[in-house]
Amino acid sequence: MFRIVILLGFLAPVAAFGQRQTENVILVTLDGVRVQEIFAGMDQAIAEHSATDEYSDIALARERYWRDSAVERREALMPFFWKTLAPQGVVLGNPERGSRVLVRNKIKWSSPGYVEIMTGAAQAEVVDNSERRYAHKTVAEFLVSELNLAKTQVAQFGSWDGFKLAASSTDDAFFMNGAYEAIPPALSTPEMDTLVALRADIQGLWEEGSNDVPTFRLAQHYLARHQPRFLWFGFGQTDDWSHADRYDRLLECLHLTDRFLSELWSTLQSDDFYKGKTTMVITTDHGRGRGAADWQEHDESIPGSGDIWIAVIGPDTPATGEAGPLPTVYQGDVAATIVQLFGLDPGEFNPDAGPPIAAVWGEAEMSDARKKSYKQ
Ligand SMILES: [Zn+2]
């Protein structure tokens, strides 16, 4: 009896936060998706600009996605994100609600953004999209070592090799799959081999990226077969269509990506391995220009390129919906958030990383008690 009392006394501060339920995290990134489309749907100024382009079918896009209010427009564009995910989770980054999520790296290109997400901090030597790895340990590598996971239990898929390079400081820390890479025979299935072959034959919009559709299907097969505890999936085509100045195609692409997010979440909720113990984190690598003349591009000279957003849904995240007003959150805070969702110590991951995002636990800011409970 005496021992039980002591034990309960020891556990009490932890119990105050409830039992941590997340055992798996799925990180999904949508390349270069602006806060304007996420929070307000189809943009009137860009639509008018695109209507002058003979290739763009803006009339059809208007029919599908234009509505009178921002709330109706964003729900038409991304129905899963706004009708299911947001009400059950938390969405950060709407400046109209006093919530800002910013990129800390100065470049505001993809590789600097993904390295910031994965390492928890802007890394000064990542100044472009060069095809190389950087020495900084990533959150994915940290999970493999801290949770003593097999290399198949952490996985990265994405339609651009830059995702793979940003995922890890070394080539073989865990399972990674490049834009057009085959799956090793020991891990593959006939369906996965078919998807790899199909992906090789489908032309990407730009030569360095593959199509998101077979890549997403590959990741779904991998998820079902190998049950990774941490998976990063990177969608790339949202950035491709934006650079191509095809607003009509971007909107279709976002709508399709939203359906894939819905499928992914449904799959997780119908699989006993994932159901009720998996958190999904969704974000982007950078923003883009704010107007019709510069929305296509993003870099340090274009205002808006550093404005991003983050959405989280999972068993440890209260149903908050759109959060705000809140202190500014940074891109680099995603890594420590993932670390803490697994009950690990962000300080041990990277003392220079941004802190866990308090709103993910329904808190305005990180309490001292929670800081001490990292190791719950
Ligand atoms: Zn880009």
Side-chain angles (χ1 to χ4, degrees), residues 30 33-42 64-65 70-87 238 250-262 282 309 311:
L30 282 52
V33 172
R34 309 187 315 154
V35 291
Q36 288 84 353
E37 277 71 37
I38 289 289
F39 294 106
M42 187 175 187
R64 288 181 175 161
Y65 306 118
V71 167
E72 290 171 293
R73 284 196 299 278
R74 71 191 189 187
E75 286 182 2
L77 184 63
M78 302 185 74
F80 167 75
F81 190 97
W82 283 111
K83 291 181 183 175
T84 299
L85 187 155
T238 41
L250 166 71
L251 296 178
E252 286 305 321
C253 188
L254 262 177
H255 191 66
L256 175 66
T257 304
D258 179 77
R259 177 154 67 77
F260 284 168
L261 291 174
S262 169
I282 310 169
W309 48 272

mmCIF file of all heavy atoms in Angstrom, residues 30 33-42 64-65 70-87 238 250-262 282 309 311:
data_model
loop_
_atom_site.group_PDB
_atom_site.id
_atom_site.type_symbol
_atom_site.label_atom_id
_atom_site.label_comp_id
_atom_site.label_asym_id
_atom_site.label_seq_id
_atom_site.Cartn_x
_atom_site.Cartn_y
_atom_site.Cartn_z
ATOM 1 N N LEU A 30 2.825 20.479 -48.136
ATOM 2 C CA LEU A 30 2.263 20.907 -49.426
ATOM 3 C C LEU A 30 3.158 22.045 -49.914
ATOM 4 O O LEU A 30 3.134 23.129 -49.335
ATOM 5 C CB LEU A 30 0.828 21.417 -49.250
ATOM 6 C CG LEU A 30 -0.322 20.419 -49.105
ATOM 7 C CD1 LEU A 30 -0.097 19.386 -48.022
ATOM 8 C CD2 LEU A 30 -1.625 21.181 -48.848
ATOM 9 N N VAL A 33 2.359 26.464 -50.604
ATOM 10 C CA VAL A 33 0.936 26.823 -50.564
ATOM 11 C C VAL A 33 0.746 28.044 -49.660
ATOM 12 O O VAL A 33 1.118 28.038 -48.492
ATOM 13 C CB VAL A 33 0.085 25.631 -50.084
ATOM 14 C CG1 VAL A 33 -1.364 26.058 -49.865
ATOM 15 C CG2 VAL A 33 0.155 24.505 -51.117
ATOM 16 N N ARG A 34 0.157 29.097 -50.227
ATOM 17 C CA ARG A 34 0.040 30.377 -49.531
ATOM 18 C C ARG A 34 -1.041 30.380 -48.448
ATOM 19 O O ARG A 34 -2.032 29.648 -48.546
ATOM 20 C CB ARG A 34 -0.320 31.480 -50.543
ATOM 21 C CG ARG A 34 0.563 31.555 -51.775
ATOM 22 C CD ARG A 34 0.230 32.788 -52.620
ATOM 23 N NE ARG A 34 -1.195 32.990 -52.790
ATOM 24 C CZ ARG A 34 -1.753 34.175 -53.030
ATOM 25 N NH1 ARG A 34 -1.002 35.273 -53.110
ATOM 26 N NH2 ARG A 34 -3.059 34.282 -53.193
ATOM 27 N N VAL A 35 -0.872 31.256 -47.472
ATOM 28 C CA VAL A 35 -1.930 31.439 -46.460
ATOM 29 C C VAL A 35 -3.209 31.964 -47.114
ATOM 30 O O VAL A 35 -4.316 31.684 -46.646
ATOM 31 C CB VAL A 35 -1.490 32.403 -45.311
ATOM 32 C CG1 VAL A 35 -0.417 31.778 -44.451
ATOM 33 C CG2 VAL A 35 -1.058 33.756 -45.847
ATOM 34 N N GLN A 36 -3.061 32.697 -48.217
ATOM 35 C CA GLN A 36 -4.247 33.282 -48.859
ATOM 36 C C GLN A 36 -5.225 32.204 -49.329
ATOM 37 O O GLN A 36 -6.438 32.333 -49.120
ATOM 38 C CB GLN A 36 -3.819 34.157 -50.059
ATOM 39 C CG GLN A 36 -3.155 35.474 -49.671
ATOM 40 C CD GLN A 36 -1.664 35.344 -49.376
ATOM 41 O OE1 GLN A 36 -1.113 34.234 -49.324
ATOM 42 N NE2 GLN A 36 -1.009 36.464 -49.176
ATOM 43 N N GLU A 37 -4.719 31.145 -49.969
ATOM 44 C CA GLU A 37 -5.619 30.077 -50.429
ATOM 45 C C GLU A 37 -6.108 29.241 -49.249
ATOM 46 O O GLU A 37 -7.269 28.839 -49.202
ATOM 47 C CB GLU A 37 -4.933 29.163 -51.459
ATOM 48 C CG GLU A 37 -4.968 29.701 -52.886
ATOM 49 C CD GLU A 37 -4.050 30.898 -53.081
ATOM 50 O OE1 GLU A 37 -2.957 30.903 -52.481
ATOM 51 O OE2 GLU A 37 -4.419 31.831 -53.820
ATOM 52 N N ILE A 38 -5.203 28.956 -48.299
ATOM 53 C CA ILE A 38 -5.622 28.131 -47.161
ATOM 54 C C ILE A 38 -6.772 28.794 -46.400
ATOM 55 O O ILE A 38 -7.782 28.161 -46.114
ATOM 56 C CB ILE A 38 -4.416 27.881 -46.201
ATOM 57 C CG1 ILE A 38 -3.397 26.938 -46.846
ATOM 58 C CG2 ILE A 38 -4.891 27.336 -44.848
ATOM 59 C CD1 ILE A 38 -3.843 25.489 -46.966
ATOM 60 N N PHE A 39 -6.632 30.095 -46.096
ATOM 61 C CA PHE A 39 -7.620 30.730 -45.219
ATOM 62 C C PHE A 39 -8.764 31.433 -45.948
ATOM 63 O O PHE A 39 -9.796 31.711 -45.343
ATOM 64 C CB PHE A 39 -6.926 31.705 -44.262
ATOM 65 C CG PHE A 39 -6.022 31.000 -43.286
ATOM 66 C CD1 PHE A 39 -4.647 31.044 -43.418
ATOM 67 C CD2 PHE A 39 -6.568 30.244 -42.256
ATOM 68 C CE1 PHE A 39 -3.812 30.359 -42.542
ATOM 69 C CE2 PHE A 39 -5.745 29.549 -41.374
ATOM 70 C CZ PHE A 39 -4.368 29.611 -41.524
ATOM 71 N N ALA A 40 -8.584 31.720 -47.234
ATOM 72 C CA ALA A 40 -9.649 32.460 -47.939
ATOM 73 C C ALA A 40 -10.013 31.848 -49.284
ATOM 74 O O ALA A 40 -10.813 32.428 -50.023
ATOM 75 C CB ALA A 40 -9.238 33.920 -48.115
ATOM 76 N N GLY A 41 -9.430 30.712 -49.633
ATOM 77 C CA GLY A 41 -9.791 30.055 -50.888
ATOM 78 C C GLY A 41 -9.364 30.859 -52.109
ATOM 79 O O GLY A 41 -8.374 31.595 -52.085
ATOM 80 N N MET A 42 -10.137 30.728 -53.161
ATOM 81 C CA MET A 42 -9.801 31.358 -54.450
ATOM 82 C C MET A 42 -9.640 32.866 -54.298
ATOM 83 O O MET A 42 -10.472 33.540 -53.696
ATOM 84 C CB MET A 42 -10.921 31.050 -55.446
ATOM 85 C CG MET A 42 -10.630 31.495 -56.858
ATOM 86 S SD MET A 42 -11.979 30.948 -57.970
ATOM 87 C CE MET A 42 -11.267 31.412 -59.546
ATOM 88 N N ARG A 64 -16.329 26.236 -59.760
ATOM 89 C CA ARG A 64 -16.033 25.234 -58.724
ATOM 90 C C ARG A 64 -15.684 25.836 -57.368
ATOM 91 O O ARG A 64 -16.049 25.286 -56.331
ATOM 92 C CB ARG A 64 -14.865 24.355 -59.182
ATOM 93 C CG ARG A 64 -15.259 23.412 -60.303
ATOM 94 C CD ARG A 64 -14.102 22.549 -60.728
ATOM 95 N NE ARG A 64 -14.557 21.573 -61.717
ATOM 96 C CZ ARG A 64 -13.754 20.918 -62.536
ATOM 97 N NH1 ARG A 64 -12.460 21.125 -62.496
ATOM 98 N NH2 ARG A 64 -14.233 20.061 -63.398
ATOM 99 N N TYR A 65 -14.947 26.944 -57.377
ATOM 100 C CA TYR A 65 -14.339 27.391 -56.114
ATOM 101 C C TYR A 65 -14.688 28.812 -55.684
ATOM 102 O O TYR A 65 -14.305 29.222 -54.593
ATOM 103 C CB TYR A 65 -12.813 27.235 -56.195
ATOM 104 C CG TYR A 65 -12.418 25.829 -56.566
ATOM 105 C CD1 TYR A 65 -11.708 25.555 -57.733
ATOM 106 C CD2 TYR A 65 -12.808 24.754 -55.766
ATOM 107 C CE1 TYR A 65 -11.376 24.256 -58.083
ATOM 108 C CE2 TYR A 65 -12.484 23.460 -56.114
ATOM 109 C CZ TYR A 65 -11.772 23.215 -57.270
ATOM 110 O OH TYR A 65 -11.462 21.928 -57.615
ATOM 111 N N ALA A 70 -15.076 34.258 -47.600
ATOM 112 C CA ALA A 70 -13.798 33.537 -47.494
ATOM 113 C C ALA A 70 -14.015 32.134 -46.920
ATOM 114 O O ALA A 70 -13.409 31.165 -47.374
ATOM 115 C CB ALA A 70 -12.820 34.329 -46.632
ATOM 116 N N VAL A 71 -14.910 32.035 -45.922
ATOM 117 C CA VAL A 71 -15.162 30.732 -45.287
ATOM 118 C C VAL A 71 -15.765 29.749 -46.292
ATOM 119 O O VAL A 71 -15.348 28.595 -46.391
ATOM 120 C CB VAL A 71 -16.078 30.898 -44.042
ATOM 121 C CG1 VAL A 71 -16.613 29.556 -43.562
ATOM 122 C CG2 VAL A 71 -15.300 31.606 -42.921
ATOM 123 N N GLU A 72 -16.730 30.221 -47.082
ATOM 124 C CA GLU A 72 -17.330 29.327 -48.091
ATOM 125 C C GLU A 72 -16.306 28.957 -49.170
ATOM 126 O O GLU A 72 -16.292 27.821 -49.653
ATOM 127 C CB GLU A 72 -18.509 30.022 -48.771
ATOM 128 C CG GLU A 72 -19.726 30.217 -47.886
ATOM 129 C CD GLU A 72 -20.755 31.104 -48.569
ATOM 130 O OE1 GLU A 72 -20.474 32.307 -48.763
ATOM 131 O OE2 GLU A 72 -21.824 30.599 -48.923
ATOM 132 N N ARG A 73 -15.472 29.922 -49.552
ATOM 133 C CA ARG A 73 -14.489 29.646 -50.615
ATOM 134 C C ARG A 73 -13.475 28.597 -50.167
ATOM 135 O O ARG A 73 -13.160 27.669 -50.902
ATOM 136 C CB ARG A 73 -13.752 30.937 -51.019
ATOM 137 C CG ARG A 73 -14.563 31.876 -51.875
ATOM 138 C CD ARG A 73 -13.690 32.915 -52.563
ATOM 139 N NE ARG A 73 -12.959 33.782 -51.653
ATOM 140 C CZ ARG A 73 -13.474 34.860 -51.056
ATOM 141 N NH1 ARG A 73 -14.731 35.209 -51.267
ATOM 142 N NH2 ARG A 73 -12.744 35.609 -50.246
ATOM 143 N N ARG A 74 -12.966 28.743 -48.940
ATOM 144 C CA ARG A 74 -11.950 27.779 -48.501
ATOM 145 C C ARG A 74 -12.566 26.401 -48.291
ATOM 146 O O ARG A 74 -11.908 25.384 -48.511
ATOM 147 C CB ARG A 74 -11.214 28.286 -47.257
ATOM 148 C CG ARG A 74 -12.047 28.278 -45.982
ATOM 149 C CD ARG A 74 -11.342 29.029 -44.859
ATOM 150 N NE ARG A 74 -12.017 28.841 -43.585
ATOM 151 C CZ ARG A 74 -11.695 29.479 -42.471
ATOM 152 N NH1 ARG A 74 -10.696 30.357 -42.479
ATOM 153 N NH2 ARG A 74 -12.328 29.248 -41.353
ATOM 154 N N GLU A 75 -13.832 26.355 -47.891
ATOM 155 C CA GLU A 75 -14.490 25.056 -47.729
ATOM 156 C C GLU A 75 -14.744 24.389 -49.074
ATOM 157 O O GLU A 75 -14.705 23.164 -49.179
ATOM 158 C CB GLU A 75 -15.810 25.217 -46.961
ATOM 159 C CG GLU A 75 -15.597 25.460 -45.487
ATOM 160 C CD GLU A 75 -16.892 25.569 -44.684
ATOM 161 O OE1 GLU A 75 -17.983 25.421 -45.276
ATOM 162 O OE2 GLU A 75 -16.796 25.808 -43.478
ATOM 163 N N ALA A 76 -15.014 25.209 -50.101
ATOM 164 C CA ALA A 76 -15.213 24.645 -51.447
ATOM 165 C C ALA A 76 -13.889 24.108 -51.987
ATOM 166 O O ALA A 76 -13.841 23.068 -52.647
ATOM 167 C CB ALA A 76 -15.768 25.709 -52.387
ATOM 168 N N LEU A 77 -12.808 24.812 -51.685
ATOM 169 C CA LEU A 77 -11.490 24.421 -52.201
ATOM 170 C C LEU A 77 -10.912 23.232 -51.447
ATOM 171 O O LEU A 77 -10.375 22.302 -52.044
ATOM 172 C CB LEU A 77 -10.541 25.620 -52.103
ATOM 173 C CG LEU A 77 -9.134 25.442 -52.672
ATOM 174 C CD1 LEU A 77 -9.196 25.184 -54.177
ATOM 175 C CD2 LEU A 77 -8.276 26.687 -52.386
ATOM 176 N N MET A 78 -11.003 23.242 -50.122
ATOM 177 C CA MET A 78 -10.400 22.200 -49.298
ATOM 178 C C MET A 78 -11.412 21.708 -48.258
ATOM 179 O O MET A 78 -11.303 22.013 -47.060
ATOM 180 C CB MET A 78 -9.125 22.740 -48.629
ATOM 181 C CG MET A 78 -8.095 23.231 -49.652
ATOM 182 S SD MET A 78 -6.540 23.750 -48.910
ATOM 183 C CE MET A 78 -5.796 22.177 -48.478
ATOM 184 N N PRO A 79 -12.405 20.939 -48.712
ATOM 185 C CA PRO A 79 -13.490 20.545 -47.801
ATOM 186 C C PRO A 79 -13.043 19.682 -46.619
ATOM 187 O O PRO A 79 -13.549 19.860 -45.514
ATOM 188 C CB PRO A 79 -14.466 19.776 -48.714
ATOM 189 C CG PRO A 79 -13.713 19.469 -49.961
ATOM 190 C CD PRO A 79 -12.646 20.513 -50.094
ATOM 191 N N PHE A 80 -12.091 18.775 -46.831
ATOM 192 C CA PHE A 80 -11.638 17.956 -45.691
ATOM 193 C C PHE A 80 -10.911 18.826 -44.679
ATOM 194 O O PHE A 80 -11.168 18.763 -43.473
ATOM 195 C CB PHE A 80 -10.709 16.821 -46.150
ATOM 196 C CG PHE A 80 -9.991 16.168 -44.993
ATOM 197 C CD1 PHE A 80 -10.672 15.292 -44.153
ATOM 198 C CD2 PHE A 80 -8.663 16.461 -44.707
ATOM 199 C CE1 PHE A 80 -10.037 14.715 -43.052
ATOM 200 C CE2 PHE A 80 -8.021 15.889 -43.612
ATOM 201 C CZ PHE A 80 -8.711 15.013 -42.788
ATOM 202 N N PHE A 81 -10.001 19.641 -45.186
ATOM 203 C CA PHE A 81 -9.192 20.482 -44.307
ATOM 204 C C PHE A 81 -10.092 21.342 -43.415
ATOM 205 O O PHE A 81 -9.868 21.439 -42.206
ATOM 206 C CB PHE A 81 -8.284 21.370 -45.162
ATOM 207 C CG PHE A 81 -7.232 22.126 -44.404
ATOM 208 C CD1 PHE A 81 -5.943 21.633 -44.327
ATOM 209 C CD2 PHE A 81 -7.516 23.333 -43.787
ATOM 210 C CE1 PHE A 81 -4.950 22.332 -43.634
ATOM 211 C CE2 PHE A 81 -6.542 24.036 -43.093
ATOM 212 C CZ PHE A 81 -5.246 23.526 -43.015
ATOM 213 N N TRP A 82 -11.123 21.955 -44.003
ATOM 214 C CA TRP A 82 -11.929 22.912 -43.244
ATOM 215 C C TRP A 82 -13.135 22.318 -42.530
ATOM 216 O O TRP A 82 -13.572 22.836 -41.502
ATOM 217 C CB TRP A 82 -12.335 24.104 -44.127
ATOM 218 C CG TRP A 82 -11.151 25.007 -44.275
ATOM 219 C CD1 TRP A 82 -10.433 25.230 -45.410
ATOM 220 C CD2 TRP A 82 -10.495 25.741 -43.229
ATOM 221 N NE1 TRP A 82 -9.374 26.076 -45.141
ATOM 222 C CE2 TRP A 82 -9.384 26.399 -43.816
ATOM 223 C CE3 TRP A 82 -10.722 25.914 -41.863
ATOM 224 C CZ2 TRP A 82 -8.519 27.208 -43.077
ATOM 225 C CZ3 TRP A 82 -9.850 26.719 -41.128
ATOM 226 C CH2 TRP A 82 -8.776 27.357 -41.744
ATOM 227 N N LYS A 83 -13.680 21.220 -43.053
ATOM 228 C CA LYS A 83 -14.893 20.690 -42.416
ATOM 229 C C LYS A 83 -14.593 19.550 -41.445
ATOM 230 O O LYS A 83 -15.395 19.258 -40.566
ATOM 231 C CB LYS A 83 -15.882 20.217 -43.483
ATOM 232 C CG LYS A 83 -16.466 21.375 -44.278
ATOM 233 C CD LYS A 83 -17.453 20.844 -45.303
ATOM 234 C CE LYS A 83 -18.010 21.948 -46.159
ATOM 235 N NZ LYS A 83 -18.867 21.425 -47.237
ATOM 236 N N THR A 84 -13.472 18.879 -41.614
ATOM 237 C CA THR A 84 -13.144 17.753 -40.723
ATOM 238 C C THR A 84 -11.904 18.045 -39.887
ATOM 239 O O THR A 84 -11.930 17.968 -38.666
ATOM 240 C CB THR A 84 -12.913 16.463 -41.547
ATOM 241 O OG1 THR A 84 -14.113 16.162 -42.255
ATOM 242 C CG2 THR A 84 -12.550 15.293 -40.644
ATOM 243 N N LEU A 85 -10.811 18.367 -40.564
ATOM 244 C CA LEU A 85 -9.549 18.540 -39.841
ATOM 245 C C LEU A 85 -9.603 19.722 -38.872
ATOM 246 O O LEU A 85 -9.347 19.568 -37.672
ATOM 247 C CB LEU A 85 -8.413 18.732 -40.862
ATOM 248 C CG LEU A 85 -6.985 18.761 -40.324
ATOM 249 C CD1 LEU A 85 -6.016 18.339 -41.413
ATOM 250 C CD2 LEU A 85 -6.574 20.108 -39.773
ATOM 251 N N ALA A 86 -9.949 20.908 -39.395
ATOM 252 C CA ALA A 86 -9.922 22.116 -38.551
ATOM 253 C C ALA A 86 -10.826 22.002 -37.315
ATOM 254 O O ALA A 86 -10.366 22.289 -36.204
ATOM 255 C CB ALA A 86 -10.274 23.347 -39.380
ATOM 256 N N PRO A 87 -12.082 21.550 -37.473
ATOM 257 C CA PRO A 87 -12.925 21.465 -36.263
ATOM 258 C C PRO A 87 -12.403 20.469 -35.221
ATOM 259 O O PRO A 87 -12.640 20.638 -34.033
ATOM 260 C CB PRO A 87 -14.288 20.995 -36.806
ATOM 261 C CG PRO A 87 -14.262 21.294 -38.271
ATOM 262 C CD PRO A 87 -12.831 21.201 -38.684
ATOM 263 N N THR A 238 1.835 21.527 -56.050
ATOM 264 C CA THR A 238 1.242 22.832 -55.762
ATOM 265 C C THR A 238 2.233 23.954 -56.109
ATOM 266 O O THR A 238 1.843 24.988 -56.652
ATOM 267 C CB THR A 238 0.843 22.916 -54.274
ATOM 268 O OG1 THR A 238 1.871 22.308 -53.478
ATOM 269 C CG2 THR A 238 -0.461 22.180 -54.022
ATOM 270 N N LEU A 250 -3.526 25.161 -60.153
ATOM 271 C CA LEU A 250 -3.171 25.152 -58.732
ATOM 272 C C LEU A 250 -4.397 24.831 -57.876
ATOM 273 O O LEU A 250 -4.330 24.018 -56.955
ATOM 274 C CB LEU A 250 -2.580 26.501 -58.297
ATOM 275 C CG LEU A 250 -2.529 26.623 -56.759
ATOM 276 C CD1 LEU A 250 -1.475 25.700 -56.168
ATOM 277 C CD2 LEU A 250 -2.340 28.036 -56.292
ATOM 278 N N LEU A 251 -5.521 25.465 -58.192
ATOM 279 C CA LEU A 251 -6.729 25.238 -57.387
ATOM 280 C C LEU A 251 -7.184 23.782 -57.502
ATOM 281 O O LEU A 251 -7.535 23.153 -56.496
ATOM 282 C CB LEU A 251 -7.851 26.197 -57.819
ATOM 283 C CG LEU A 251 -7.566 27.691 -57.601
ATOM 284 C CD1 LEU A 251 -8.735 28.536 -58.120
ATOM 285 C CD2 LEU A 251 -7.296 28.030 -56.139
ATOM 286 N N GLU A 252 -7.137 23.231 -58.716
ATOM 287 C CA GLU A 252 -7.490 21.810 -58.889
ATOM 288 C C GLU A 252 -6.537 20.918 -58.091
ATOM 289 O O GLU A 252 -6.934 19.917 -57.489
ATOM 290 C CB GLU A 252 -7.442 21.410 -60.369
ATOM 291 C CG GLU A 252 -8.595 21.935 -61.207
ATOM 292 C CD GLU A 252 -9.955 21.547 -60.652
ATOM 293 O OE1 GLU A 252 -10.125 20.417 -60.173
ATOM 294 O OE2 GLU A 252 -10.853 22.408 -60.690
ATOM 295 N N CYS A 253 -5.270 21.270 -58.131
ATOM 296 C CA CYS A 253 -4.240 20.487 -57.438
ATOM 297 C C CYS A 253 -4.462 20.525 -55.915
ATOM 298 O O CYS A 253 -4.368 19.498 -55.234
ATOM 299 C CB CYS A 253 -2.872 21.063 -57.816
ATOM 300 S SG CYS A 253 -1.504 20.096 -57.234
ATOM 301 N N LEU A 254 -4.797 21.699 -55.399
ATOM 302 C CA LEU A 254 -5.066 21.817 -53.956
ATOM 303 C C LEU A 254 -6.298 21.007 -53.569
ATOM 304 O O LEU A 254 -6.328 20.364 -52.514
ATOM 305 C CB LEU A 254 -5.306 23.287 -53.596
ATOM 306 C CG LEU A 254 -4.135 24.068 -53.025
ATOM 307 C CD1 LEU A 254 -4.540 25.522 -52.805
ATOM 308 C CD2 LEU A 254 -3.668 23.456 -51.701
ATOM 309 N N HIS A 255 -7.300 21.032 -54.433
ATOM 310 C CA HIS A 255 -8.535 20.291 -54.168
ATOM 311 C C HIS A 255 -8.249 18.782 -54.135
ATOM 312 O O HIS A 255 -8.726 18.065 -53.254
ATOM 313 C CB HIS A 255 -9.558 20.630 -55.260
ATOM 314 C CG HIS A 255 -10.937 20.151 -54.965
ATOM 315 N ND1 HIS A 255 -11.701 20.646 -53.927
ATOM 316 C CD2 HIS A 255 -11.714 19.209 -55.565
ATOM 317 C CE1 HIS A 255 -12.872 20.035 -53.916
ATOM 318 N NE2 HIS A 255 -12.905 19.148 -54.892
ATOM 319 N N LEU A 256 -7.427 18.326 -55.068
ATOM 320 C CA LEU A 256 -7.051 16.906 -55.105
ATOM 321 C C LEU A 256 -6.207 16.544 -53.870
ATOM 322 O O LEU A 256 -6.416 15.502 -53.237
ATOM 323 C CB LEU A 256 -6.253 16.609 -56.383
ATOM 324 C CG LEU A 256 -5.696 15.186 -56.503
ATOM 325 C CD1 LEU A 256 -6.823 14.162 -56.632
ATOM 326 C CD2 LEU A 256 -4.747 15.075 -57.698
ATOM 327 N N THR A 257 -5.285 17.417 -53.539
ATOM 328 C CA THR A 257 -4.429 17.167 -52.378
ATOM 329 C C THR A 257 -5.270 17.073 -51.107
ATOM 330 O O THR A 257 -5.019 16.241 -50.239
ATOM 331 C CB THR A 257 -3.362 18.281 -52.263
ATOM 332 O OG1 THR A 257 -2.633 18.333 -53.494
ATOM 333 C CG2 THR A 257 -2.398 18.021 -51.130
ATOM 334 N N ASP A 258 -6.296 17.909 -51.021
ATOM 335 C CA ASP A 258 -7.213 17.857 -49.870
ATOM 336 C C ASP A 258 -7.910 16.497 -49.817
ATOM 337 O O ASP A 258 -8.075 15.919 -48.739
ATOM 338 C CB ASP A 258 -8.242 18.992 -49.993
ATOM 339 C CG ASP A 258 -9.245 18.983 -48.849
ATOM 340 O OD1 ASP A 258 -8.874 19.416 -47.752
ATOM 341 O OD2 ASP A 258 -10.381 18.517 -49.055
ATOM 342 N N ARG A 259 -8.295 15.962 -50.992
ATOM 343 C CA ARG A 259 -8.935 14.638 -50.999
ATOM 344 C C ARG A 259 -7.953 13.572 -50.529
ATOM 345 O O ARG A 259 -8.325 12.637 -49.809
ATOM 346 C CB ARG A 259 -9.454 14.310 -52.408
ATOM 347 C CG ARG A 259 -10.056 12.920 -52.498
ATOM 348 C CD ARG A 259 -11.097 12.816 -53.602
ATOM 349 N NE ARG A 259 -10.570 12.941 -54.944
ATOM 350 C CZ ARG A 259 -9.913 11.969 -55.592
ATOM 351 N NH1 ARG A 259 -9.663 10.814 -55.000
ATOM 352 N NH2 ARG A 259 -9.500 12.162 -56.825
ATOM 353 N N PHE A 260 -6.686 13.700 -50.918
ATOM 354 C CA PHE A 260 -5.673 12.742 -50.465
ATOM 355 C C PHE A 260 -5.474 12.831 -48.943
ATOM 356 O O PHE A 260 -5.281 11.818 -48.270
ATOM 357 C CB PHE A 260 -4.353 12.965 -51.200
ATOM 358 C CG PHE A 260 -4.353 12.455 -52.616
ATOM 359 C CD1 PHE A 260 -3.338 12.796 -53.485
ATOM 360 C CD2 PHE A 260 -5.358 11.615 -53.085
ATOM 361 C CE1 PHE A 260 -3.318 12.315 -54.792
ATOM 362 C CE2 PHE A 260 -5.356 11.138 -54.391
ATOM 363 C CZ PHE A 260 -4.327 11.483 -55.247
ATOM 364 N N LEU A 261 -5.520 14.044 -48.419
ATOM 365 C CA LEU A 261 -5.412 14.196 -46.955
ATOM 366 C C LEU A 261 -6.577 13.491 -46.272
ATOM 367 O O LEU A 261 -6.395 12.815 -45.240
ATOM 368 C CB LEU A 261 -5.423 15.682 -46.564
ATOM 369 C CG LEU A 261 -4.203 16.508 -46.955
ATOM 370 C CD1 LEU A 261 -4.442 17.984 -46.624
ATOM 371 C CD2 LEU A 261 -2.955 16.009 -46.225
ATOM 372 N N SER A 262 -7.746 13.622 -46.858
ATOM 373 C CA SER A 262 -8.936 12.971 -46.312
ATOM 374 C C SER A 262 -8.780 11.447 -46.353
ATOM 375 O O SER A 262 -9.060 10.753 -45.365
ATOM 376 C CB SER A 262 -10.155 13.415 -47.132
ATOM 377 O OG SER A 262 -11.272 12.635 -46.814
ATOM 378 N N ILE A 282 0.412 19.048 -40.738
ATOM 379 C CA ILE A 282 0.409 19.474 -42.135
ATOM 380 C C ILE A 282 0.933 20.907 -42.204
ATOM 381 O O ILE A 282 0.497 21.771 -41.448
ATOM 382 C CB ILE A 282 -1.020 19.416 -42.728
ATOM 383 C CG1 ILE A 282 -1.650 18.050 -42.437
ATOM 384 C CG2 ILE A 282 -1.008 19.675 -44.231
ATOM 385 C CD1 ILE A 282 -3.130 18.004 -42.741
ATOM 386 N N TRP A 309 1.694 28.364 -42.641
ATOM 387 C CA TRP A 309 0.572 27.902 -41.805
ATOM 388 C C TRP A 309 0.891 26.487 -41.335
ATOM 389 O O TRP A 309 1.697 25.779 -41.947
ATOM 390 C CB TRP A 309 -0.722 27.921 -42.633
ATOM 391 C CG TRP A 309 -0.534 27.267 -43.966
ATOM 392 C CD1 TRP A 309 -0.107 27.864 -45.122
ATOM 393 C CD2 TRP A 309 -0.655 25.863 -44.257
ATOM 394 N NE1 TRP A 309 0.032 26.912 -46.114
ATOM 395 C CE2 TRP A 309 -0.297 25.686 -45.618
ATOM 396 C CE3 TRP A 309 -1.028 24.745 -43.509
ATOM 397 C CZ2 TRP A 309 -0.303 24.442 -46.240
ATOM 398 C CZ3 TRP A 309 -1.033 23.491 -44.120
ATOM 399 C CH2 TRP A 309 -0.680 23.365 -45.479
ATOM 400 N N ALA A 311 -1.225 22.982 -39.552
ATOM 401 C CA ALA A 311 -2.445 22.346 -39.038
ATOM 402 C C ALA A 311 -2.066 21.043 -38.355
ATOM 403 O O ALA A 311 -1.173 20.331 -38.824
ATOM 404 C CB ALA A 311 -3.421 22.076 -40.175
#
